[in-house]
Amino acid sequence: MTTNESITSDIADTPAISGERADLLAALATNRHFLRFTTRDLTDEQAGQRTTASELCLGGLIKHVTLVERNWVDFILNGPSAMGDATTMTEADRAWWADQFRMLPGDTLAGVLAAYAEVARRTDELVATLPDLDVTQPLPKAPWFEAGARWSARRVLMRIIAETAQHAGHADIIRESLDGAKSMG
């Protein structure tokens, strides 16, 4: 399967769409592909290995992107309650959040990728069926969000695309540091 066939197959199960929605999903599918592609031919141990000064590993990045995409889709559907109030996070909450960036005992690369595929399927279905991309929700309380701001479903999707692209770049660096393999070039 070629890269383009793989990207196209990522959105093949969603209802026929065109225009802006098709463009948004195509951009997201491309970034998802490159993120997943960095894990090709790796063992679970390699997926959990840190190769840079950061705490990041390939499996942890995919876990993180899965969580973030799931939370943002829940936000589109349910508003700020889907994400919680960052100003009330406990030490246990922070520890749980940190665990989403690493492979934990019992985590497998196949399991992490399957969870990501399920979240991607759900997101793609929502984008294809949401009546209006202009629907807005108030942002949750967090020091990094403007108080009282509202985001449209469109803006949330652009955020998911940007986050996925950013972490695909991180993953490429981690993979190249691991064994010299690159996602592109």
Side-chain angles (χ1 to χ4, degrees), residues 97-169:
W97 183 257
D99 283 346
Q100 303 315 300
F101 288 90
R102 19 183 218 126
M103 295 285 281
L104 299 174
D107 284 344
T108 64
L109 181 56
V112 167
L113 289 169
Y116 188 40
E118 177 54 29
V119 166
R121 184 205 56 74
R122 181 175 175 239
T123 301
D124 293 351
E125 183 178 296
L126 175 67
V127 173
T129 60
L130 194 65
D132 187 354
L133 294 180
D134 289 326
V135 65
T136 66
Q137 297 280 9
L139 288 172
K141 288 184 183 179
W144 47 87
F145 291 133
E146 178 186 348
R150 298 179 70 87
W151 278 15
S152 67
R154 176 183 298 101
R155 185 161 180 188
V156 169
L157 291 168
M158 292 187 313
R159 172 70 178 250
I160 293 168
I161 292 166
E163 177 114 4
T164 306
Q166 178 181 17
H167 289 312

